Amino acid sequence: MKKLLVLAVLLLTSACGIKPTPVLAAGPAPTLRNPVNDGTATDVVLYFLRDDRAVPVARPAVFPMRFEVALTMLMEGPSAEETFEGYTTALPRSGEIALTPGPPTTVNISFPLRTISAAGINQLVCTALAALTTQRPGTIALAGPDIQLPYQTCEG
């Protein structure tokens, strides 16, 4: 028993030569809010802002989910529950969205893109790429009445 006690003390005091390091801040942990459904629908992934970062939020949706429907849901903003949980949006609550296929796909927006923050652009890009499952990961172009942005990737 005495040998076991000595061994335990030696192990605890040696620390195997590992030096302590400080805690490194890396921002909030990634989260995915996944509502439960009854199996008759699939989830659509929308990107809203939380702590000024685009984060995925899953919502139930009727299958098949069309691209335009997913982006319309994004434009409607976070639900009351999502807002309570801290999700926000940098996008206007209205606007028309159309898709032009091609390599890469172009998302045509009816509102000016110059007025949208980088976080809002990222919301659009990440949601669009999530809706276009055949192109993930990939790039898309965004075009508004005021500017066509260079090809974008999701920074979420």
Side-chain angles (χ1 to χ4, degrees):
M1 180 72 173
K2 189 175 181 182
K3 288 181 183 180
L4 187 58
L5 181 60
V6 171
L7 181 62
V9 170
L10 284 174
L11 284 174
L12 290 174
T13 59
S14 70
C16 302
I18 299 174
K19 296 181 181 188
T21 58
V23 175
L24 302 174
T31 58
L32 179 60
R33 191 184 146 276
N34 190 1
V36 177
N37 62 42
D38 61 5
T40 59
T42 186
D43 289 342
V44 60
V45 177
L46 308 174
Y47 281 77
F48 291 114
L49 301 180
R50 190 169 196 182
D51 298 325
D52 215 26
R53 287 180 49 208
V55 293
V57 175
R59 283 193 189 166
V62 177
F63 186 76
M65 172 55 65
R66 288 187 12 247
F67 171 83
E68 291 83 0
V69 174
L71 285 182
T72 298
M73 290 172 72
L74 175 70
M75 298 297 293
E76 291 169 354
S79 68
E81 181 183 345
E82 292 161 349
T83 300
F84 179 77
E85 292 173 358
Y87 295 98
T88 62
T89 186
L91 300 173
R93 295 275 178 168
S94 64
E96 294 180 23
I97 298 171
L99 183 68
T100 304
T105 300
T106 300
V107 179
N108 300 294
I109 310 292
S110 65
F111 52 85
L113 288 173
R114 290 182 199 261
T115 61
I116 306 300
S117 68
I121 296 295
N122 203 37
Q123 279 184 266
L124 282 168
V125 171
C126 293
T127 301
L129 287 173
L132 296 168
T133 56
T134 60
Q135 288 194 8
R136 229 179 342 168
T139 60
I140 61 167
L142 291 178
D146 58 341
I147 190 171
Q148 177 162 347
L149 297 177
Y151 298 141
Q152 305 286 311
T153 60
C154 178
E155 303 295 325

